[in-house]
Amino acid sequence: MPGFGAFLIIFVIIGVLVVLWLGLAGSATVAIVSSKIGVIDRFLWVAVVWVVPVVGAVAWFAHPRR
């Protein structure tokens, strides 16, 4: 079947990105919930982490803690 190799490569790349996103978002969510920031700030950070794939989680871990 022509084109199956390209489909398989794209499928694997998307699968890896989804697993990376879920892992980072999950760990960032746990870190946010256990932090000492306000409730509204927690809610906003969790929303950013889950809506913006990978970049939101990286932004949380790079964010300076008070």
Side-chain angles (χ1 to χ4, degrees):
M1 292 188 332
F4 183 71
F7 169 75
L8 190 59
I9 291 171
I10 291 171
F11 184 75
V12 168
I13 290 172
I14 290 173
V16 168
L17 289 176
V18 167
V19 169
L20 176 68
W21 172 54
L22 290 174
L24 279 172
S27 63
T29 300
V30 170
I32 292 167
V33 169
S34 64
S35 70
K36 296 181 186 321
I37 60 176
V39 175
I40 294 174
D41 290 337
R42 285 184 202 171
F43 176 76
L44 292 174
W45 270 108
V46 169
V48 166
V49 163
W50 283 99
V51 170
V52 183
V54 180
V55 177
V58 171
W60 165 256
F61 288 121
H63 182 269
R65 307 291 193 288
R66 292 182 213 156

